[in-house]
Amino acid sequence: QVQLVESGGGLVQTGGSLRLSCTASGDTLSAYAMGWFRQAPGKEREFVATINRSGTSPDYGNSVKGRFTVSKDNAKNTVYLQMTSLIPEDTAVYSCAASSYTTGTRYPIEYDYWGQGTQVTVSS
């Protein structure tokens, strides 16, 4: 099975940018659609973005659309989440997930593998 490790989280001020990476091992990402989710303390897990097996057809949650960009580099076995115009409401633990389906979904239950998450904190 595939193992996922996120990196790139940290502290950034409002309006700043941050790039998250999710690197896979044990299998090639070309076999998986990928998703990004986030969860703040006391809140439900929220859909952020997804991208299909080939690295096309991205989709975004309404709260991040226009500010975040997801991309996938199958040659490097890595999926990215470029975050811009960050606001305090973006503060959360961000996790990547892999699905055996061709196209990712907005539903966490439909993903098979998850990374450990990386903390993103946006200061006011």
Side-chain angles (χ1 to χ4, degrees):
Q1 63 182 28
V2 65
Q3 309 293 323
L4 306 173
V5 179
E6 303 95 335
S7 62
L11 175 65
V12 64
Q13 65 181 351
T14 297
S17 299
L18 209 59
R19 189 193 194 196
L20 305 183
S21 298
C22 175
T23 300
S25 61
D27 205 351
T28 174
L29 282 191
S30 65
Y32 301 92
M34 300 296 297
W36 285 98
F37 296 83
R38 67 187 184 185
Q39 188 168 28
K43 296 185 178 180
E44 296 291 323
R45 182 183 288 116
E46 179 185 14
F47 168 73
V48 176
T50 187
I51 194 163
N52 68 14
R53 289 183 183 179
S54 63
T56 60
S57 301
D59 190 27
Y60 302 93
N62 290 334
S63 63
V64 306
K65 192 172 185 178
R67 299 188 297 118
F68 291 9
T69 302
V70 62
S71 60
K72 189 167 184 274
D73 189 336
N74 285 331
K76 295 181 179 179
N77 250 16
T78 301
V79 63
Y80 304 95
L81 184 68
Q82 179 66 53
M83 306 183 294
T84 62
S85 302
L86 286 163
I87 57 177
E89 289 76 14
D90 295 319
T91 296
V93 174
Y94 286 71
S95 300
C96 66
S99 170
S100 60
Y101 296 141
T102 300
T103 303
T105 75
R106 293 168 171 256
Y107 309 109
I109 194 67
E110 297 185 358
Y111 287 82
D112 302 300
Y113 307 101
W114 292 79
Q116 83 290 343
T118 185
Q119 177 71 47
V120 172
T121 302
V122 184
S123 62
S124 301

